[in-house]
């Protein structure tokens, strides 16, 4: 529960940081606004075509009575659009970070500098940075789909499909949203995407506390734009925690000893690999 609350606090700290640094808040709005327009068009087109897609995907219902056929296809259409909406929440961040990579890199650096120093990243050409971001985002999307697709079909199961499954869907989306947002600061530390995943698996509650509220807020289109700069700032603060660069005392009185130390993942937030749960198996 403490990690869950800490995740929410990092999200709040990030929003406060950008609001107190108005220039950087405006700096981070433009990429999110451009991406919002693109996603608005896609979701609108999807909404117009859901009935046709539902009819195409359920040919076996053509011979059913009209009531059952209409009910099935209406449910399919609703779940399809809801699935598209949840997928857009996850990919919105990835696309926005890709579009605004130079913007958010500078924002993240400024946040860390204000907290007591920013690790020096490797100086790469912009094209190389964009390629790495795209490659990592596709990996994250693939991992998210491994869980998201089964959850979509489980949504058809009576009772749990309308209660438990949506909750699990928000948790999965929140976890991977946190993974995307922390990529800016973790990439600067040369932590590869698979190691980022292991690190956050070891701090699931922290990742969910940060990401799930964002997923819920991102369901409101303009809120996503307004919160994006603060989300990047908060993610930079969160990374300082999980990699051992945050001086904020933890609940055990320590300053997060044993942070991640590079590509090989020899150590993690809880100590040597395999002892703190960072590199062990996890749901995500």
């Amino acid at each position: 529960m403490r990690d869950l609350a800490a995740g929410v606090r990092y999200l709040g700290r990030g929003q406060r940081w950008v609001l107190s640094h108005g220039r950087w808040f405006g700096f981070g709005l433009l990429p999110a606004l451009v991406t919002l327009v693109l996603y608005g068009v896609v979701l609108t087109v999807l909404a117009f075509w859901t009935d046709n897609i539902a009819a195409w995907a359920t040919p076996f219902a053509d011979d059913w009575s009209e009531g059952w056929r209409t009910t099935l296809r209406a449910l399919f259409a609703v779940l399809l659009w809801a699935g598209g909406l949840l997928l857009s929440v996850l990919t919105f961040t990835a696309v926005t970070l890709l579009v605004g990579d130079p913007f958010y890199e500078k924002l993240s650096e400024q946040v860390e500098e204000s907290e007591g120093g920013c690790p020096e990243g490797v100086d790469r050409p912009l094209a190389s940075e964009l390629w790495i971001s795209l490659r990592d985002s596709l990996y994250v999307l693939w991992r998210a789909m491994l869980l998201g697709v089964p959850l979509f079909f489980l949504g058809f199961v009576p009772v749990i499909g309308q209660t438990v499954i949506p909750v699990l869907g928000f948790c999965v989306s929140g976890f991977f949203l946190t993974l995307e947002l922390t990529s800016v600061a973790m990439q600067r530390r040369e932590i590869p995407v698979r190691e980022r995943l292991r690190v956050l698996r070891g701090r699931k509650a922290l990742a969910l506390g940060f990401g799930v509220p964002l997923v819920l807020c991102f369901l409101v289109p303009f809120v996503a734009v307004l919160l994006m700069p603060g989300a990047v700032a908060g993610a930079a603060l969160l990374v300082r925690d999980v990699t051992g660069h945050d001086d904020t005392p933890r609940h055990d009185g320590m300053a997060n000893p044993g942070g991640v130390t590079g590509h090989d993942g020899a150590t993690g937030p809880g100590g040597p690999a395999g002892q703190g749960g960072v590199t062990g198996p996890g749901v995500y």
Side-chain angles (χ1 to χ4, degrees):
M1 288 298 293
R2 296 190 181 213
D3 259 1
L4 194 67
V8 177
R9 285 197 298 272
Y10 279 122
L11 180 59
R13 284 178 61 189
Q15 300 302 326
R16 288 195 298 273
W17 193 95
V18 294
L19 289 176
S20 63
H21 298 77
R23 182 170 71 91
W24 290 102
F25 176 68
F27 191 70
L29 283 180
L30 185 57
L33 185 59
V34 170
T35 308
L36 176 65
V37 173
L38 294 175
Y39 272 78
V41 172
V42 172
L43 287 174
T44 300
V45 171
L46 179 62
F48 277 110
W49 282 88
T50 49
D51 290 340
N52 292 348
I53 296 173
W56 170 82
T58 56
F60 55 85
D62 288 343
D63 298 329
W64 292 10
S65 65
E66 183 178 354
W68 284 109
R69 183 174 65 248
T70 302
T71 300
L72 173 67
R73 289 177 174 172
L75 177 61
F76 185 94
V78 170
L79 289 174
L80 177 63
W81 195 84
L85 183 61
L86 285 177
L87 182 61
S88 72
V89 169
L90 179 61
T91 58
F92 176 87
T93 302
V95 173
T96 302
L97 291 174
L98 189 62
V99 170
D101 184 78
F103 294 82
Y104 294 129
E105 178 63 34
K106 289 295 183 183
L107 171 59
S108 180
E109 287 178 2
Q110 286 297 316
V111 172
E112 293 213 55
E113 287 290 351
S114 71
E115 291 293 308
C118 176
E120 291 187 11
V122 177
D123 188 16
R124 297 189 183 92
L126 177 59
S128 178
E129 290 284 353
L130 292 176
W131 166 245
I132 292 173
S133 297
L134 177 60
R135 183 193 63 195
D136 291 352
S137 293
L138 290 175
Y139 175 81
V140 172
L141 180 60
W142 173 69
R143 294 300 296 260
M145 292 295 288
L146 289 179
L147 294 172
V149 171
L151 287 175
F152 172 79
F153 287 104
L154 286 172
F156 289 96
V157 178
V159 183
I160 68 166
Q162 294 75 49
T163 53
V164 177
I165 300 304
V167 173
L168 290 177
F170 281 120
C171 289
V172 169
S173 297
F175 178 86
F176 284 103
L177 180 60
T178 302
L179 182 59
E180 279 287 357
L181 286 166
T182 54
S183 66
V184 178
M186 287 199 180
Q187 186 174 314
R188 184 164 55 249
R189 290 169 167 79
E190 290 293 288
I191 301 174
V193 64
R194 288 174 177 80
E195 180 63 18
R196 298 171 210 166
L197 180 60
R198 286 194 291 269
V199 169
L200 290 182
R201 275 200 321 225
R203 302 287 296 277
K204 284 193 192 76
L206 183 69
L208 293 176
F210 186 86
V212 172
L214 270 178
V215 170
L216 296 173
C217 292
F218 278 17
L219 293 176
V220 182
F222 289 105
V223 173
V225 174
L226 295 174
L227 294 184
M228 191 64 190
V232 173
L237 297 172
L238 186 150
V239 168
R240 292 176 69 85
D241 179 341
V242 300
T243 61
H245 291 89
D246 187 4
D247 295 329
T248 303
R250 298 175 63 194
H251 62 270
D252 56 4
M254 303 295 287
N256 196 29
V260 176
T261 58
H263 289 284
D264 59 0
T267 60
Q275 294 182 14
V278 173
T279 59
V283 175
Y284 304 132

